[in-house]
Amino acid sequence: MVDNLPENQDMNQDTSQDDRGHRRAGILLHLTSLPGNAATGDLGADAFRFVDFLQAAGMGVWQMLPIGPTQEGGSPYQTTSVHAGNPELINLVPLVEEGWLPPEILEGEITTGAKDDLLRQAWHAFSIRAGAELRAELDRFIDDERYWLDDYALFRALHQANGNRSWWEWPAPLRKRESGALKRVEAQLGEQLAEIRFQQFNFYRQWMRLKQYANERGVLLFGDMPIFVAHDSAEVWAHQQMFDLDQEGHTRVVAGVPPDYFSSTGQRWGNPLYRWDRMEENGFSFWIER
């Protein structure tokens, strides 16, 4: 049961004043648990069918876990960005319908590695054949989301270029974000950066379609925003001064919980702690943007 659902808990849902005081029943189901022919559930037809089920059952809330790009362990609570969507959640059917992928790729199961290759193939087709209107839509998305998208795309591209080592293990000029070094790699990795932005564009479009479909049927999307962010993430790399790190980017202390009834040794989460004093100096813009 969700009691008096706060407006800011609803993943951009614009609720009226009359809606906010209503009690609503809901179900927690993460997108990855949906069925389908890929390695995980995604934003495709089965997500829309689940909305239909919620509506038929009289449910008003679909609650899910964070939807950001996960790290190697796959936990949605340790993501490489607090803003980006997980490319694994992109459904390939719309890319086939728009002509960026051949229909036969939908036959059989799609593994994680195969989806990565297909998203790259879709970008290549888009870059060659997309019309002016869709290119303009992509450009608007990039401009609107630039406050996080540029850092995320560069972080992800550099992660791959450095053997998927954590950012504090990169060469010092990249680790410390020296402007000259960043400009050089941006020029070298331009195609890869464009591909990453294209992926986020497609995630956004599919997410907004699902959101609109759910809202039109009286179903709110209830998100989950963890208070801590992963150490090896675009935001910590891009805003090192906001976190309790040493000169080399290592954490001084990390988040966790003390021993309790559930764990005699406690839990070491590993997330860096915030420098609240520095966040206050710029009006907590980091949190406002989240």
Side-chain angles (χ1 to χ4, degrees):
M1 179 67 69
V2 177
D3 189 8
N4 294 326
L5 183 70
E7 184 181 14
N8 64 353
Q9 290 285 339
D10 166 34
M11 289 190 175
N12 301 321
Q13 161 66 17
D14 297 322
T15 56
S16 68
Q17 182 66 40
D18 292 339
D19 286 337
R20 295 181 201 148
H22 290 177
R23 293 171 62 87
R24 300 175 184 270
I27 293 178
L28 169 62
L29 178 78
H30 195 40
L31 283 163
T32 56
S33 296
L34 292 167
N37 67 338
T40 73
D42 57 31
L43 291 163
D46 288 293
F48 290 80
R49 279 194 283 271
F50 187 64
V51 171
D52 293 338
F53 163 76
L54 291 172
Q55 181 189 30
M59 299 290 174
V61 177
W62 179 358
Q63 183 177 359
M64 58 187 73
L65 309 183
I67 54 176
T70 57
Q71 298 183 350
E72 186 175 350
S75 171
Y77 293 95
Q78 293 285 348
T79 61
T80 58
S81 173
V82 301
H83 295 285
N86 189 347
E88 279 296 303
L89 300 178
I90 297 173
N91 184 264
L92 298 180
V93 172
L95 302 182
V96 171
E97 293 174 343
E98 292 184 299
W100 314 133
L101 291 173
E104 55 267 24
I105 64 99
L106 300 176
E107 301 172 2
E109 185 176 355
I110 300 171
T111 64
T112 298
K115 178 171 275 192
D116 290 341
D117 292 338
L118 289 168
L119 290 174
R120 186 172 301 110
Q121 182 179 334
W123 159 245
H124 181 68
F126 176 95
S127 64
I128 295 173
R129 301 197 301 271
E133 184 176 348
L134 195 53
R135 290 180 187 274
E137 186 180 347
L138 172 60
D139 290 341
R140 285 194 299 271
F141 170 78
I142 292 172
D143 287 340
D144 290 344
E145 308 301 321
R146 193 172 300 281
Y147 68 96
W148 66 267
L149 183 57
D150 287 351
D151 285 327
Y152 168 70
L154 190 55
F155 174 85
R156 185 171 158 194
L158 284 172
H159 221 275
Q160 295 171 355
N162 285 275
N164 285 320
R165 296 196 304 274
S166 300
W167 65 263
W168 55 90
E169 298 176 328
W170 298 349
L174 299 177
R175 183 178 74 243
K176 297 180 179 180
R177 294 177 56 86
E178 295 179 3
S179 59
L182 294 186
K183 288 179 180 178
R184 285 191 294 272
V185 297
E186 284 174 354
Q188 295 167 1
L189 302 174
E191 181 69 13
Q192 192 173 351
L193 296 174
E195 177 191 330
I196 294 168
R197 294 186 181 103
F198 175 74
Q199 289 181 7
Q200 290 303 305
F201 171 63
N202 280 280
F203 180 94
Y204 174 83
R205 295 173 81 207
Q206 293 188 16
W207 172 261
M208 295 306 293
R209 288 171 188 154
L210 177 63
K211 175 186 179 299
Q212 180 179 355
Y213 187 86
N215 293 165
E216 289 172 349
R217 286 152 183 78
V219 177
L220 306 182
L221 303 182
F222 189 174
D224 188 352
M225 188 173 78
I227 187 171
F228 293 113
V229 299
H231 186 193
D232 193 18
S233 66
E235 283 74 29
V236 176
W237 174 63
H239 305 283
Q240 297 173 43
Q241 72 280 6
M242 299 292 182
F243 297 87
D244 194 1
L245 308 174
D246 64 20
Q247 292 297 317
E248 303 302 315
H250 300 286
T251 54
R252 299 180 190 275
V253 290
V254 297
V257 295
D260 56 18
Y261 178 83
F262 300 100
S263 173
S264 61
T265 58
Q267 300 176 36
R268 186 184 189 279
W269 296 343
N271 307 82
L273 300 189
Y274 297 107
R275 286 292 307 272
W276 293 107
D277 55 336
R278 292 178 179 172
M279 289 188 164
E280 185 177 17
E281 290 173 357
N282 70 354
F284 298 101
S285 61
F286 178 88
W287 284 95
I288 293 171
E289 289 173 352
R290 285 192 72 185

